[in-house]
Every structure is written in structure tokens, then in C-alpha cells.
Amino acid sequence: MARMSTRPPQRVTIAHVAEEAGVSRATVSRVMNGLATVDAEIGKRVREAAAKLNYSPSTVARSLAIGRTQTVAIVVPDLANPMFQETLRGLNRAAAREGYRVLVADSIENPEEEVILAREARRRCDALVLVSPRMEPEVLAELLPELSPVVLVNRESPAPGVPSLAVDYGSGIRSVVKELERLGHRRIAYLAGPDGSHGNQARMAALQPPVPSAPQPEFVFIPCGAMFEDGYRAREAVLGSGATAAVCFNDLVALGLLGALHEEGVAVPGRLSVTGFDDIPFARFASPALTTVSVPQTQLGEQAWARLWDLLNGRDPEHDLTVTPRLEVRASSGPPAAEAANAP
Amino acid sequence: MARMSTRPPQRVTIAHVAEEAGVSRATVSRVMNGLATVDAEIGKRVREAAAKLNYSPSTVARSLAIGRTQTVAIVVPDLANPMFQETLRGLNRAAAREGYRVLVADSIENPEEEVILAREARRRCDALVLVSPRMEPEVLAELLPELSPVVLVNRESPAPGVPSLAVDYGSGIRSVVKELERLGHRRIAYLAGPDGSHGNQARMAALQPPVPSAPQPEFVFIPCGAMFEDGYRAREAVLGSGATAAVCFNDLVALGLLGALHEEGVAVPGRLSVTGFDDIPFARFASPALTTVSVPQTQLGEQAWARLWDLLNGRDPEHDLTVTPRLEVRASSGPPAAEAANAP
DNA sequence: GGCGTAGAAGAAACCGATTTCCCCGCCTAC
DNA sequence: GTAGGCGGGGAAATCGGTTTCTTCTACGCC
């Protein structure tokens, strides 16, 4: 008896609105979807009834009926990484323009998890964006068909029909090295990323001299990682290597190293040049501002959406894209110190 | 006639599996959901049929039938801000443990958009997390009932029954000021955040002396903003203010300012102490490491999930939480220069 | 005036699952 | 020997929309 007049006891459905307006459910549906063939008077009545009951159609039921969820998913290896956050942001922004929403799945750097997540996320959505999975190529190739429509980011497509947006890591790393070479560096440390990482393998490969005899700086490879902490901890190894410049796997590592060097009072770039990769938003504002290679990750997210949108509409997506990152010379790189770097 | 044996022409439904296994759809459903009361032999047959057809149940249909989507949404004002990224990450991680997925909606700092987004996002999901909207309190109060179940983050709840996770910005800003006071600073600049921001208002209020006559450092208020660029551009205003310390609205502003100061060769903290707010991951690794106030944003995301989970299960959520942020003294703050700061 | 047709709205099928309800067969107890 | 109980599985209702198909009305044209 004490039922409040506010908030109907349970969800308002299309049937309630139909009854209130004295029409059929079909008509309510037509009105809600703006189908033209409805009498103005009836349309008004339906809209009033809907407003009165505070009706809002169930997206789930609608999705089931029309066979689309208007949602896409993105699977990333680590939501804590600014790179993937940028991709997510770009995708989200672009998808929102078309009325689509984005579901996030974070594998937390767990490759097996990644496969399950991708499958599961795909089933909930109309399409999928897979960002640089640590996944083995064979596993990936087998998985992709059942994920379609899907777009691959930060990785080249191993399967036809799956658009991909890759980054030319090799070219990026070479542009950094070339700049350091130009500045006079002859012994360069490379702070390597995670072993399994596709991006790291590409960078390493680019550091091998194309012609063994070609004059080229000497490289010291230091196993490191992909996070701040990894770079921070690498200080001693870098300083002990005798290198005059440190090329870091990514900006996070570079910034971690920068912090450690600053604490120790090591001058950058006076004593050691430091370079990053990715050009995350912080890179410009580091002290000193970080020389790095700019990967337009937000745009990759937007491009991923464009491909997905094509696939969703049955169009052939634009051709695969390989982004060539641009060198951003800032204050953290400079000529090597005049003194020999190997002095203790 | 050339139909490939791979990939059935259209989606495999429960009916196909039922037919293949020679049982009813009800039985297939029972098997798929692990209901105990199914003969072992039949269970095996169903599973084999499902595997053979590569069946995976439609989440949409399932959601409609059981009335839950196993998805929650989060609405944030700006996905580019590390704070909200952390909240998203915490929420995502916690929700994943319970088999829930997270949908992201980014209002891109647009308050009207925020209302629409929140409504729309909520309809697609079982529940909603609303992060520190710029929304007017009245608008919010009116909106909240129809969003339920919903949890508010970074803001106090204006409605009973809506759990909230707030941050005691006042206490945070006072702890910074107290530390600077202890170090001997007498003239402090406050680089203010966006006007409409709830967080900024709380910080400003905390800077008003509780007793007008109480001895307290002098404050210079400098309108600034919430982003890197804002801090970067504020350099001249800060240097011209005669303050020996700059208390920044957040870490982004502080890091922007730090970058600008570094370029100009201004010693930090020698010539000027700089403090931030939030303790974003980068703060520790800035050069110099940023003195700031630590807001455990990832935990807020996890706590938000805990509240949501309670609501979803019809339990009373744990009481509202007001996090008192912790001062993190690092290298960017120190005693003021001996010389008068006002000298040109 | 009659017939053909277009336009508007309702009835019912459908999307793909879950779940209630009921029936059937077998086992046990009286 | 029969009744009652129980467990397993199928038929059908249900979730809340969309859409096709059908019906009815009214209009225009010959």
C-alpha cells in the first residue's frame, strides 16, 4: 500500500509504454527509432507516455534483436603503460563519434590470459582491437580468424584480412642512433626491453650492422625491461659500461634512468646522453626534456577505429599502415664528454 | 556447393548444438552452465557437440535472459589524465576478478556531455562509477537516482544510498603548506586548477586561514589549470610573484613548471621549491623527484568496485570513505634561498 | 460508384539464451 | 502390487526489443 509514486517498482519496458499510449509495441518501437511512417498525433502520444514513465529502451534487448552491440573491445597488455592508454584514448574518442562504446581488457602482461581475454571480450562486442600482444605468432594466427572483425595494433598482421597498424621500430631506433653518431658518440648502451616483446626484437635487429664491416658505433646491450623501475635500477650497469649514451627501450625506462642519474648528480647530457622511445606526454616535460622517437599512439587508436568501422560496414578497410616514427631531439642528448668515458 | 567445412555460414547457436547432440536446448544450457543434474553421458555428448561446432554462447542473449550484463561503466572527465587512468586501472583489475568487464566513457571535460554519457553508459551496464564530474551539485543530485547502482569517486555523495569515495584535498594541501612553512617559506604561490573543479575549490578553501589573525605564510594565487602546458606557461608568473615555493594544483602542473624552470636554469629547490598533488607514477622519477601529496587513485578504483559489488549483491555497501592523502617529501622542496626572493 | 492501392498500425515471429513447469520412468516403501 | 518420491530431461514461457507480415482504412482514379 505504501508504494511510492516515484520510481516504478520494476523496469519500464516497451510494453508499458505501449499500454500507456494505447498502441502496439511495434508502434512504440517505430516511434523510438524515428521511423517516418507514424501518424504525428500518435507519435506525440507515444513520446509523452515514454516521458511520463521515464522509459529508456533496454540496450541488451535491442542488441539481441538487431544483432549489434555498438560496442568494441580493446585488449592491452598493460593499462599502466601510457602508450596503451593513449591508444585507448584515441580509439575511444573516434568510436564515440559513431556512437560506439569501448570495453577495456587488461591482460596485465600475461600472454595466456591474453588469449582468453581476447576471446571473451570479442564475444561481448562487435569487434576487437588487439594491441601488441606478447602472443606467439602461431597462437595469434590461429586465434585471429575467430576474433574477426579485428584490428592489430603495434604489430604486423600474420593473416590476410586482418588490418594492422604497425610501427617501424627499426627505423625509429636507427634515427636515434644516427643522431647520436652525428653528435660524436662511439660507444652506445642499449637498454633492452622485455625478452618476449616484439618491439624489442625489432629494435635489436635494427642495431645489427647491415654490413658487418661498415663503420658503426659499438653497442653494449644491457638487459633492462619496460618500466620506470627497470630504468632506475639500470644506472650502475650503464655507468659501468663505458658508454657515452644510453638508448632506452622506451620513455619509461629513459625517465627512470634519468631520475637515478639525477639523484647521483650525473650530468645529462654532459656526462651521458639519454634517449627514449614513444614520446609519451611526459617526455617533453622531463628535466632535461627527453630526446626520443615520437610514436603517434593516439592516432593509431583512431586509425584502428577507422579500420574497424570499415570492417563493420562490410567495406574493405584501408590498407595496412606502418607508421614511421619521428625523431624528437630535445635536451637529454648532446655531444659526448671530451674525456674518455671509461675513466672510473 | 563449395561451402567450406571450416567456419559455419552463420553464428552457431544453442539450437545447433542441441540438434547435433540430440538433446533439447534446455539441456545444452544446463550443461554449459554446469548445472549438476545432467547425466554424465549426455553432458559429454553436449560438450563434444559444442566443441565440434565451436560453439560459444551469445553473451547478449544470456544477458537478456538473466538480466545482468556482467559489465560496469566508468565515466571520467579526461582519459588523458593519469589520475583517472589509475582509477580505471584499479576498477578494471578488481572487476576482472569477479568476471566483470569495464566500459569506458570519456566526457573530454564537457559537463553537459557528461550527463548524457552517464545515462547512456549506465543503460548498457549493470552499474556505474562516476569520477569527479564537473557537474553541478543540483544536476548531479537529480541524475543519481536514475543511475543507481552507482558509486561516486573524488567527490562527496549528495544523495543517501550512493556510496562515495572522496579525497580530503584540504588536509592534503595543508600538509604541503605545513612542510613548506617548517622549511622556512613565508611567501608561497598557489597555482590554481580549473575554476569549476571541485578539487580546486576544496584546496583554495583550505588555504584560507582558519583564524584570520593566526600567523601563516602569505599566499599568492595564480590562475593556472590542470595540465602540463598550464604549469609550463606559469613560469614567469611564479618567478615574478616573489614566492619561494610553488604549490601546484596537481602533479601535471608541477611537472610542467619543473620543465620550464629547468630550461631557464632555475635551481629547484635552491631558488624555488615546487610541490605537486596526486603522486602520479611519474612524480617519483621527475628530476628533481617531486614532493607531492599521494592520492591512492588505483585503490580508489578498487574500492569503487568493492562498493559496486556490494550494491550489485543487494548488500549495504561499506560506509563512505574519505581518503586522507599522505605527504611525500622528495627532492623538489627545500629551505628557501637565503637571499630575499623578490630581488629581480 | 467501384476497384485498386498506399499508408498506417497491429499481430506475431524472431533474436538466443535461461528457467519454470511438467512428464516420464525408476526406485523404494508399505 | 501399487502409491509416492525423486531425478532427469523436454516443452514452452520469458527476457525486451525489432521486423515482417497482415489487416484495415481511406483515398484517388476511371
Side-chain angles (χ1 to χ4, degrees):
Chain A
M1 284 285 110
R3 175 181 296 166
M4 312 277 281
S5 65
T6 61
R7 227 180 16 187
Q10 44 191 27
R11 207 181 152 60
V12 178
T13 77
I14 199 171
H16 300 141
V17 179
E19 192 185 5
E20 174 77 23
V23 299
S24 74
R25 285 161 29 208
T27 299
V28 176
S29 172
R30 285 192 266 261
V31 173
M32 299 306 289
N33 291 303
L35 271 292
T37 66
V38 176
D39 184 87
E41 163 62 24
I42 292 193
K44 183 159 166 284
R45 226 163 67 213
V46 168
R47 265 183 293 275
E48 281 172 1
K52 176 178 171 194
L53 299 179
N54 197 10
Y55 168 68
S56 83
S58 150
T59 27
V60 176
R62 178 161 215 278
S63 294
L64 179 59
I66 67 179
R68 281 175 295 129
T69 63
Q70 310 239 98
T71 304
V72 298
I74 180 172
V75 177
V76 298
D78 180 16
L79 255 186
N81 189 320
M83 290 302 286
F84 306 133
Q85 292 166 354
E86 286 298 304
T87 313
L88 164 61
R89 197 163 69 91
L91 172 68
N92 192 63
R93 213 164 55 184
R97 283 188 215 118
E98 235 73 56
Y100 272 66
R101 299 278 158 251
V102 176
L103 201 79
V104 190
D106 178 1
S107 70
I108 320 188
E109 299 278 1
N110 184 338
E112 294 108 71
E113 186 70 9
E114 209 157 58
V115 178
I116 301 171
L117 270 183
R119 276 213 188 82
E120 210 262 349
R122 172 63 184 82
R123 283 198 297 114
R124 296 186 188 238
C125 300
D126 297 344
L128 192 64
V129 175
L130 217 50
V131 182
S132 179
R134 297 261 184 278
M135 227 176 274
E136 304 285 332
E138 313 84 60
V139 179
L140 183 63
E142 197 172 335
L143 184 64
L144 281 179
E146 63 180 289
L147 296 183
S148 170
V150 58
V151 170
L152 228 46
V153 174
N154 276 15
R155 188 157 178 165
E156 261 139 39
S157 174
V162 175
S164 77
L165 301 168
V167 175
D168 189 342
Y169 295 115
S171 140
I173 209 79
R174 276 191 301 269
S175 68
V176 166
V177 169
K178 208 167 130 195
E179 166 70 5
L180 292 173
E181 224 173 329
R182 190 188 65 77
L183 288 167
H185 294 271
R186 291 292 167 262
R187 190 175 167 83
I188 297 174
Y190 173 64
L191 275 65
D195 274 342
S197 151
H198 164 68
N200 187 53
Q201 287 159 6
R203 289 169 176 78
M204 301 277 278
L207 293 179
Q208 307 305 327
V211 183
S213 60
Q216 181 168 296
E218 193 180 352
F219 290 109
V220 187
F221 292 89
I222 302 178
C224 186
M227 309 297 288
F228 270 133
E229 289 72 12
D230 300 317
Y232 188 85
R233 281 194 295 263
R235 181 182 62 198
E236 299 314 320
V238 173
L239 291 177
S241 72
T244 58
V247 171
C248 301
F249 171 67
N250 65 15
D251 287 352
L252 268 58
V253 169
L255 292 172
L257 177 62
L258 233 43
L261 292 170
H262 187 269
E263 279 183 13
E264 192 80 357
V266 178
V268 175
R271 165 82 173 73
L272 186 78
S273 287
V274 174
T275 69
F277 207 113
D278 292 345
D279 197 19
I280 61 177
F282 279 86
R284 283 184 55 202
F285 294 97
S287 324
L290 187 66
T291 292
T292 187
V293 178
S294 176
V295 178
Q297 205 73 14
T298 311
Q299 285 172 47
L300 283 186
E302 291 176 338
Q303 287 290 327
W305 171 253
R307 302 292 190 284
L308 235 39
W309 189 231
D310 281 343
L311 289 175
L312 286 170
N313 291 306
R315 281 177 254 135
D316 263 351
E318 291 176 55
H319 54 75
D320 288 1
L321 190 65
T322 298
V323 179
T324 304
R326 199 184 62 250
L327 179 68
E328 285 287 344
V329 177
R330 301 208 182 97
S332 72
S333 58
E339 323 244 341
N342 320 33
Chain B
M1 284 291 111
R3 175 179 296 167
M4 310 278 280
S5 65
T6 62
R7 225 173 26 180
Q10 45 191 25
R11 207 182 152 59
V12 178
T13 76
I14 198 171
H16 300 141
V17 179
E19 191 184 7
E20 174 76 25
V23 298
S24 74
R25 286 162 27 212
T27 300
V28 176
S29 172
R30 285 192 267 261
V31 172
M32 298 306 289
N33 291 302
L35 270 292
T37 65
V38 176
D39 186 86
E41 164 61 25
I42 292 193
K44 183 157 165 286
R45 226 164 64 216
V46 169
R47 264 184 294 275
E48 282 172 1
K52 178 178 171 195
L53 298 179
N54 198 8
Y55 168 68
S56 81
S58 149
T59 28
V60 176
R62 178 162 215 278
S63 294
L64 179 59
I66 67 178
R68 281 175 295 129
T69 61
Q70 310 240 97
T71 303
V72 298
I74 180 171
V75 177
V76 297
D78 180 16
L79 254 185
N81 189 321
M83 292 301 287
F84 306 133
Q85 293 166 353
E86 286 299 304
T87 312
L88 164 61
R89 196 163 70 91
L91 173 68
N92 191 63
R93 210 165 58 185
R97 284 189 212 115
E98 235 75 54
Y100 273 66
R101 298 279 158 252
V102 176
L103 201 79
V104 190
D106 178 0
S107 70
I108 319 188
E109 299 277 3
N110 183 339
E112 295 108 69
E113 185 71 8
E114 209 158 58
V115 178
I116 301 170
L117 271 183
R119 275 214 187 82
E120 210 262 350
R122 171 63 184 82
R123 282 198 297 114
R124 296 187 187 236
C125 299
D126 298 343
L128 190 66
V129 175
L130 214 52
V131 182
S132 179
R134 298 257 187 281
M135 223 177 277
E136 304 286 332
E138 313 83 59
V139 179
L140 182 63
E142 196 172 335
L143 182 64
L144 281 179
E146 64 181 287
L147 296 183
S148 170
V150 57
V151 170
L152 227 47
V153 174
N154 277 16
R155 186 155 181 170
E156 261 140 41
S157 173
V162 176
S164 77
L165 301 168
V167 176
D168 189 342
Y169 295 115
S171 142
I173 209 79
R174 276 192 300 270
S175 68
V176 166
V177 169
K178 209 168 130 194
E179 166 70 6
L180 291 173
E181 224 173 330
R182 191 188 64 77
L183 288 167
H185 294 271
R186 292 291 167 264
R187 190 174 167 83
I188 297 174
Y190 174 64
L191 275 65
D195 274 341
S197 151
H198 164 68
N200 188 52
Q201 287 159 8
R203 289 169 176 78
M204 299 277 277
L207 293 180
Q208 306 307 325
V211 184
S213 60
Q216 182 169 294
E218 195 179 348
F219 290 109
V220 188
F221 292 90
I222 301 177
C224 186
M227 309 296 289
F228 271 133
E229 288 72 13
D230 301 316
Y232 188 86
R233 280 193 297 263
R235 180 181 63 198
E236 299 315 321
V238 174
L239 291 177
S241 71
T244 58
V247 171
C248 300
F249 171 68
N250 65 15
D251 287 353
L252 268 58
V253 170
L255 292 171
L257 177 61
L258 232 43
L261 292 171
H262 188 270
E263 280 184 11
E264 191 79 358
V266 179
V268 174
R271 165 83 172 72
L272 185 78
S273 287
V274 174
T275 68
F277 206 113
D278 292 345
D279 197 19
I280 61 177
F282 280 86
R284 283 183 55 202
F285 295 96
S287 323
L290 187 65
T291 293
T292 188
V293 178
S294 176
V295 178
Q297 205 73 12
T298 311
Q299 285 173 45
L300 282 186
E302 292 177 336
Q303 287 289 328
W305 170 253
R307 302 293 189 286
L308 235 39
W309 189 230
D310 281 344
L311 289 174
L312 287 170
N313 290 305
R315 283 178 254 135
D316 262 352
E318 291 177 56
H319 54 74
D320 288 359
L321 190 65
T322 298
V323 179
T324 304
R326 201 184 61 251
L327 179 68
E328 285 286 346
V329 178
R330 300 208 182 97
S332 71
S333 58
E339 322 246 341
N342 318 32

